[in-house]
Amino acid sequence: MLDVAVFGSLFLTLFVIMDPPGITPIFLALTAGRPAKAQKRMAFQAVCVAGSVIVVFGLLGHQILDYLHVSVPALMIAGGLLLLLIALDLLTGKTDEPKQTKDVNVALVPLGMPLLAGPGAIVSVILAVQKADGVTAQVSVWSAIFAIHVVLWLALRYSLLIIRVIKDGGVVLVTRLAGMMLSAIAVQQIINGVTQVVRGG
């Protein structure tokens, strides 16, 4: 049995953070030029990677961060810097060169992590698991995590239909727009991490 309040709260939080609609153009930009079959496989792989990371941190998050002596703000800043580098590649068109992306599985990095399973999602899950008292609350938390990953897979899987409509010229436009959005996300993530460091200090 589910605790609707717990399920709904975490699901909505993760929906906003992981942003299935917003990740779609970034996915299209990073997988442009690949066969449709490969893109479908990468959509599934990205969601599986994100889910695996979220589950591991949900179960062992505090222990992992404590063992590595890594703070949450440091995790946010590092993730933001990684995303910023990828965003610059999208903006400058470097990902248009097949030799740079053909042999790289972007489903792992940056799609799976840190785009989907980013610091924000990781921290939210760690806190939700920690606050969930009782079997019902725990089942609700893990059900919300599973549900958001199903939504993510559906969003990425069916975003491939967009490619058939917008063609190559549209993909280039989407790539540039994705670079702009991703750079904004990266900068905001860095700002949030720095803000937490300043407040903590």
Side-chain angles (χ1 to χ4, degrees):
M1 192 159 182
L2 292 179
D3 185 325
V4 177
V6 173
F7 176 90
S9 176
L10 181 58
F11 181 84
L12 289 175
T13 299
L14 291 177
F15 188 90
V16 171
I17 294 172
M18 301 177 89
D19 192 15
I23 201 69
T24 298
I26 297 172
F27 171 75
L28 291 176
L30 291 173
T31 60
R34 289 179 170 85
K37 187 176 180 180
Q39 289 176 315
K40 292 175 185 178
R41 184 177 67 250
M42 293 174 78
F44 182 73
Q45 288 176 338
V47 173
C48 287
V49 169
S52 300
V53 172
I54 291 293
V55 167
V56 168
F57 275 93
L59 296 173
L60 304 168
H62 279 295
Q63 294 90 326
I64 293 173
L65 295 181
D66 289 343
Y67 177 77
L68 297 174
H69 303 290
V70 174
S71 66
V72 172
L75 186 65
M76 296 177 73
I77 294 171
L81 290 172
L82 177 59
L83 289 182
L84 188 57
L85 290 174
I86 296 161
L88 291 175
D89 279 347
L90 291 175
L91 283 170
T92 56
K94 289 185 179 179
T95 54
D96 292 340
E97 299 174 22
K99 64 180 181 181
Q100 289 197 350
T101 59
K102 187 177 290 184
D103 300 324
V104 177
N105 190 350
V106 296
L108 307 181
V109 178
L111 282 172
M113 184 177 183
L115 275 176
L116 295 179
I122 289 172
V123 171
S124 296
V125 168
I126 290 174
L127 294 177
V129 171
Q130 192 175 29
K131 291 177 182 177
D133 295 323
V135 176
T136 301
Q138 285 289 337
V139 170
S140 300
V141 165
W142 291 105
S143 295
I145 292 170
F146 177 77
I148 191 62
H149 283 83
V150 171
V151 171
L152 282 167
W153 177 77
L154 290 173
L156 297 182
R157 169 68 175 77
Y158 290 101
S159 68
L160 299 177
L161 297 175
I162 298 174
I163 295 180
R164 299 177 186 176
V165 177
I166 63 177
K167 307 298 182 182
D168 292 341
V171 170
V172 173
L173 177 61
V174 167
T175 300
R176 300 299 181 266
L177 291 174
M180 290 179 62
M181 289 188 293
L182 191 56
S183 61
I185 293 171
V187 170
Q188 186 61 57
Q189 195 163 290
I190 294 170
I191 290 172
N192 291 345
V194 172
T195 301
Q196 288 193 26
V197 169
V198 172
R199 287 177 179 172

